[in-house]
Amino acid sequence: MPQANPLLSIVVPCYNEEEGLRECHSRLTSALDALCASQYEVIYINDGSRDGTGEILRSLHAASACTRVVMLSRNFGHQAAVTAGLTTARGQSVVMIDADLQDPPELIGEMLELWRQGFEVVYGVRESRAGEGRFKLWSARVFYRLINRLSDVEIPLDSGDFRLLDRRAVESLLSMPERHRLLRGMSSWIGFRQIGLKYARAPRFAGSTKYPLRKMLNLALDGIFSFSTVPLRLVTLLGLVTAGMAAAGILYSLVVRIFTTHWVAGWATLILAVLLMGGVEMLCFGILGEYIGRIYTEIKQRPLFLVREVLEPGAPSSLDRRELQKHLDPVV
Ligand code: UDP
Ligand code: MG
């Protein structure tokens, strides 16, 4: 049950966002100030940026009493950075938002309203996406549809990571220790009362996307292989079909060998069969490899992220690193 004046946490992952960060902070804080109803903390996670993001975050921290900055030891990726933010968030409700102003901070008020009505997860649904290339739009469409076909959880179409989570939802996410994280899938998996909120996604305010094709592909593969074992079943099915075909082929060649005289088989048929089988087998190994690779990274039990430094709200200097690692124990 929401308290009278509950704390709201905003989690903002930043990777090389120097061009737009100040604007992001001022739009975010003015949207939050306009809400009046809530106290808030803004948590920036510097995900191993190589540009001036770290310095800008230091100055934002120095200038504002409600800003916490978490510096990770290197680039751990968007999903790990958001998880780092969730770990330090203390609010009764937590909003995850990108630093590039593609998701309007002004929507947070509506999200809070729905949260007050009792929804534990309020996720943004992109009704339109200005300023994004054809390929990105097309690949996102394919991604959401494919993942919903294959996986047990229904990830709402066109929802991203821009969402509000109730404390219970945050705790649930943090209790999921997996290394390959697709937070939008996980926050759909946890259940609770969920609702979508439609909005128009703006173009990036500044800078360029930090999701090149490689990272996008990784995210998509995580979505599929972390939420579904259907590909494994497909391998079995494929095995059954090819075994059936092989049995028929053996039978056929025996019949030809025994009952006819023209039994010299064609070379082309043979080579085609060998190549096809080779290809199918490799594909199956690849699919098995995806799961085995994931088991391997899970079993190593490495932390999801490592923290170099935290600048606490209102604190003049940063906490000692060891002190901080104590209360920032990454998801266990
Ligand atoms: N981001 C991050 N670590 C990364 C990649 C991205 O923290 O390795 C942050 C980035 O700074 C931004 C958010 O994640 O705040 C979303 O990234 P981006 O806007 O590049 O993704 P897109 O909107 O193009 O899908
Ligand atoms: Mg973006």
Side-chain angles (χ1 to χ4, degrees):
M1 205 51 198
Q3 298 163 0
N5 194 13
L7 179 68
L8 165 68
S9 303
I10 313 287
V11 170
V12 193
C14 311
Y15 177 55
N16 295 348
E17 297 285 2
E18 64 179 1
E19 293 110 323
L21 208 46
R22 288 184 192 280
E23 174 67 16
C24 168
H25 186 73
S26 74
R27 245 183 84 187
L28 199 54
T29 43
S30 43
L32 292 168
D33 288 336
L35 291 177
C36 305
S38 280
Q39 304 168 269
Y40 64 84
E41 58 174 8
V42 183
I43 304 163
Y44 292 101
I45 301 93
N46 181 11
D47 186 17
S49 301
R50 287 156 208 264
D51 64 357
T53 300
E55 281 64 53
I56 297 179
L57 288 179
R58 275 179 203 283
S59 65
L60 291 179
H61 169 260
S64 131
C66 59
T67 305
R68 177 178 306 132
V69 177
V70 179
M71 308 270 190
L72 300 186
S73 65
R74 64 167 170 85
N75 178 248
F76 282 90
H78 179 203
Q79 305 287 305
V82 174
T83 307
L86 293 180
T87 318
T88 59
R90 297 180 186 151
Q92 285 307 305
S93 56
V94 181
V95 169
M96 307 168 10
I97 189 168
D98 289 352
D100 57 5
L101 290 173
Q102 281 195 284
D103 309 316
E106 294 74 24
L107 216 67
I108 293 173
E110 281 175 60
M111 288 182 155
L112 266 180
E113 195 41 53
L114 288 165
W115 174 67
R116 286 200 194 96
Q117 288 170 22
F119 290 99
E120 278 111 350
V121 178
V122 184
Y123 54 87
V125 178
R126 302 146 174 182
E127 215 173 14
S128 63
R129 305 176 68 160
E132 305 215 76
R134 276 247 204 87
F135 177 74
K136 178 114 186 179
L137 295 180
W138 174 83
S139 55
R141 256 181 85 93
V142 170
F143 169 67
Y144 283 106
R145 277 146 190 91
L146 188 69
I147 210 168
N148 283 341
R149 267 287 168 84
L150 291 181
S151 68
D152 323 327
V153 290
E154 189 80 4
I155 301 181
L157 289 182
D158 303 317
S159 66
D161 285 326
F162 180 37
R163 56 188 61 222
L164 178 145
L165 302 164
D166 179 70
R167 171 68 18 213
R168 263 174 295 181
V170 173
E171 296 300 332
S172 310
L173 285 184
L174 292 179
S175 72
M176 294 162 81
E178 57 233 64
R179 267 71 197 151
H180 293 274
R181 303 171 85 75
L182 179 71
L183 285 167
R184 63 196 79 162
M186 290 163 67
S187 80
S188 166
W189 182 89
I190 57 173
F192 295 110
R193 269 160 298 174
Q194 309 216 354
I195 189 166
L197 184 62
K198 289 192 178 148
Y199 72 101
R201 196 161 206 237
R204 234 174 191 282
F205 172 75
S208 58
T209 178
K210 308 299 177 296
Y211 261 97
L213 187 61
R214 178 180 52 83
K215 281 192 183 174
M216 243 160 67
L217 215 61
N218 275 341
L219 194 72
L221 289 179
D222 276 347
I224 291 166
F225 290 110
S226 305
F227 285 94
S228 168
T229 47
V230 173
L232 285 178
R233 212 161 305 142
L234 287 181
V235 168
T236 317
L237 214 67
L238 207 64
L240 278 177
V241 171
T242 47
M245 277 161 51
I250 289 169
L251 215 65
Y252 171 75
S253 45
L254 278 180
V255 168
V256 172
R257 174 71 178 82
I258 295 166
F259 298 108
T260 70
T261 47
H262 324 286
W263 49 268
V264 181
W267 177 82
T269 326
L270 193 69
I271 214 76
L272 276 181
V274 169
L275 288 179
L276 180 74
M277 281 315 298
V280 169
E281 270 173 26
M282 280 299 163
L283 180 73
C284 296
F285 279 139
I287 293 177
L288 293 181
E290 288 291 336
Y291 288 99
I292 294 173
R294 279 172 172 72
I295 296 171
Y296 180 61
T297 45
E298 293 295 336
I299 219 140
K300 280 191 285 191
Q301 291 281 308
R302 288 193 180 160
L304 278 169
F305 54 84
L306 289 172
V307 176
R308 185 160 51 83
E309 192 180 0
V310 173
L311 311 177
E312 283 295 338
S317 62
S318 64
L319 278 176
D320 175 69
R321 204 186 317 164
R322 267 158 309 172
E323 184 56 32
L324 157 142
Q325 204 74 46
K326 258 190 271 162
H327 57 131
L328 246 190
D329 232 356
V331 184
V332 277

